[in-house]
């Protein structure tokens, strides 16, 4: 069964597939609670609301025995070259919305398993599942000091998704540490958001402010250090020695930039109408920041006083 799942997932474009034995995540939940108690989650209250379910996957799938973790590369070998008047978007957001693309792939794996009378429930970077913790337990990769997951082959330029199943499948071994003494990401973060190794304070993170925040203006610490990032921020990944920028490992066409767009014209983005925004970005991750968010981010990058 294990090799059938791996073969099927690889044929669908997943880069790595690992298996973890069901367990409650008591220590991981305690760590997350501490992070929330420090207000590092900013206003992302859904993280707090998901706590009870994150702790125990059997509340999501009755009789859960195994958690399967899938990694899918989005490394297209594209670098962010500075272009006058253009704003940067995080690599993961250049193509089509990964939630939809990966869910379609997981649906095929789920159908196969259900045909063998195995019950499944799957998630793509949403829902109350501790994806990064399961990635570590299953051996997909190690927790990185920038709080992402590092995989020896993929670096951190990959999407994570998980599938719960009610059958025991041989588990893989965790990967414990890949950062060693390196602190490059901590030093490179322009806003000091990595407050200590493995801890990111969202209230200082450009990704949080340019994607999740719904207010009208960005705070001074972000505007001053925005470096033309208008959707997300890849700085702490770009400096990581595990990320080989030129190593094209993505095989999914949908994750390549739509219309070859890797950067956005700042002036155009700061004046975009709601209709233009929807026409242009429907089905892409950028839609998450909403029309008002993209305008705000572009204006801020242009150093406009809003
Ligand atoms: S995404 Fe950017 S702002 Fe956030 S921790 Fe990484 S480097 Fe810092
Ligand atoms: S830059 Fe260094 S410390 Fe940061 S995630 Fe990469 S290896 Fe770890």
């Amino acid at each position: 069964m294990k090799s059938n799942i791996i073969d099927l997932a690889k044929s669908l474009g997943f880069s790595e597939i690992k298996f973890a034995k069901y367990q409650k995540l008591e220590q991981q939940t305690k760590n997350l609670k501490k992070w929330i108690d420090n207000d590092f989650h900013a206003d992302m209250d859904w993280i707090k609301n998901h706590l009870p379910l994150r702790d125990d996957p059997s509340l999501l799938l009755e009789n859960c025995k195994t958690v399967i973790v899938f990694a899918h590369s989005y490394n297209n070998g594209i670098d962010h070259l500075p272009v006058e008047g253009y704003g940067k978007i995080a690599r993961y957001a250049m193509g089509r919305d990964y939630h939809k693309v990966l869910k379609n792939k997981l649906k095929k794996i789920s159908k196969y398993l259900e045909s063998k009378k195995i019950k499944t429930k799957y998630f793509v970077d949403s829902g109350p599942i501790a994806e990064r913790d399961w990635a570590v337990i299953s051996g997909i990769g190690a927790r990185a000091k920038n709080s992402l997951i590092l995989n020896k082959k993929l670096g951190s330029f990959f999407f994570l998704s998980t599938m719960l199943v009610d059958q025991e499948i041989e588990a893989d071994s965790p990967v414990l540490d890949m950062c060693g003494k390196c602190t490059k990401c901590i030093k490179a973060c322009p806003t000091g958001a990595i407050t200590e190794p493995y801890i990111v304070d969202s209230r200082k993170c450009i990704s949080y402010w340019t994607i999740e925040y719904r207010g009208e203006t960005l705070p001074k610490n972000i505007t001053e250090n925005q470096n033309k990032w208008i959707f997300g921020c890849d700085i702490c990944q770009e400096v990581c020695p595990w990320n080989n920028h030129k190593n094209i490992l993505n095989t999914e066409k949908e994750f390549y930039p739509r219309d070859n767009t890797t950067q956005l014209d700042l002036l155009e983005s700061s004046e975009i109408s709601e209709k233009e925004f929807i026409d242009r970005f429907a089905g892409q991750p950028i839609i998450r920041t909403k029309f008002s968010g993209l305008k705000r981010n572009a204006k801020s990058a242009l150093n406009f006083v809003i």
Side-chain angles (χ1 to χ4, degrees), residues 12 15 57 63 164 218 250 273 290:
L12 293 165
S15 329
N63 207 22
L164 312 179
L218 301 179
N250 169 37
S273 73
K290 303 193 187 304

Side-chain angles (χ1 to χ4, degrees), residues 76-297:
N76 297 329
I78 295 165
D79 263 332
H80 285 104
L81 302 171
V83 183
E84 187 67 32
Y86 276 74
K88 292 177 275 189
I89 45 181
R91 278 178 176 73
Y92 83 85
M94 289 177 183
R96 206 173 144 69
D97 186 345
Y98 60 98
H99 296 93
K100 291 178 189 159
V101 177
L102 295 180
K103 269 189 183 158
N104 284 338
K105 293 176 193 276
L106 293 175
K107 195 173 174 185
K108 290 184 181 142
I109 299 170
S110 166
K111 268 195 172 168
Y112 165 72
L113 291 171
E114 304 262 345
S115 77
K116 305 282 176 207
K117 309 280 177 247
I118 298 171
K119 289 208 176 70
T120 67
K121 187 147 192 167
Y122 52 89
F123 304 88
V124 180
D125 193 24
S126 64
I129 184 100
E131 271 175 341
R132 290 185 194 172
D133 293 324
W134 288 111
V136 171
I137 297 166
S138 69
I140 280 281
R143 180 71 78 158
K145 288 183 187 170
N146 59 8
S147 93
L148 300 173
I149 299 295
L150 280 177
N151 172 280
K152 288 187 178 150
K153 210 165 67 191
L154 309 171
S156 59
F157 293 143
F158 64 90
F159 298 117
L160 273 176
S161 40
T162 45
M163 184 177 285
L164 312 179
V165 297
D166 67 349
Q167 173 155 320
E168 265 178 42
I169 304 175
E170 186 200 359
D172 295 299
S173 312
V175 180
L176 293 181
D177 178 51
M178 285 173 56
C179 288
K181 291 186 177 155
C182 176
T183 53
K184 284 188 174 186
C185 56
I186 300 174
K187 288 183 192 136
C189 175
T191 53
I194 309 173
T195 54
E196 59 181 287
Y198 312 102
I199 303 289
V200 171
D201 180 349
S202 309
R203 295 169 305 178
K204 295 182 181 169
C205 179
I206 296 167
S207 277
Y208 161 75
W209 287 100
T210 55
I211 300 174
E212 306 294 344
Y213 179 62
R214 296 287 167 258
E216 282 181 15
T217 50
L218 301 179
K220 203 162 168 258
N221 181 31
I222 300 300
T223 351
E224 283 177 355
N225 295 292
Q226 201 178 338
N227 293 302
K228 295 197 183 150
W229 287 98
I230 55 169
F231 186 87
C233 164
D234 281 344
I235 296 172
C236 57
Q237 298 194 77
E238 284 177 345
V239 298
C240 179
W242 287 101
N243 280 327
N244 180 348
H245 299 212
K246 295 291 168 213
N247 199 6
I248 301 172
L249 294 167
N250 169 37
T251 54
E252 175 55 66
K253 284 194 187 78
E254 299 276 26
F255 297 149
Y256 275 83
R258 197 189 262 184
D259 308 324
N260 284 326
T261 306
T262 56
Q263 317 217 37
L264 296 177
D265 186 302
L266 286 173
L267 206 54
E268 243 176 64
S269 305
S270 69
E271 291 170 351
I272 197 166
S273 73
E274 191 159 11
K275 183 177 178 317
E276 282 166 343
F277 175 76
I278 292 166
D279 287 349
R280 180 143 186 215
F281 298 115
Q284 282 192 263
I286 293 178
I287 210 87
R288 184 169 178 90
T289 193
K290 303 193 187 304
F291 146 75
S292 50
L294 184 69
K295 278 181 77 147
R296 173 201 63 203
N297 299 343

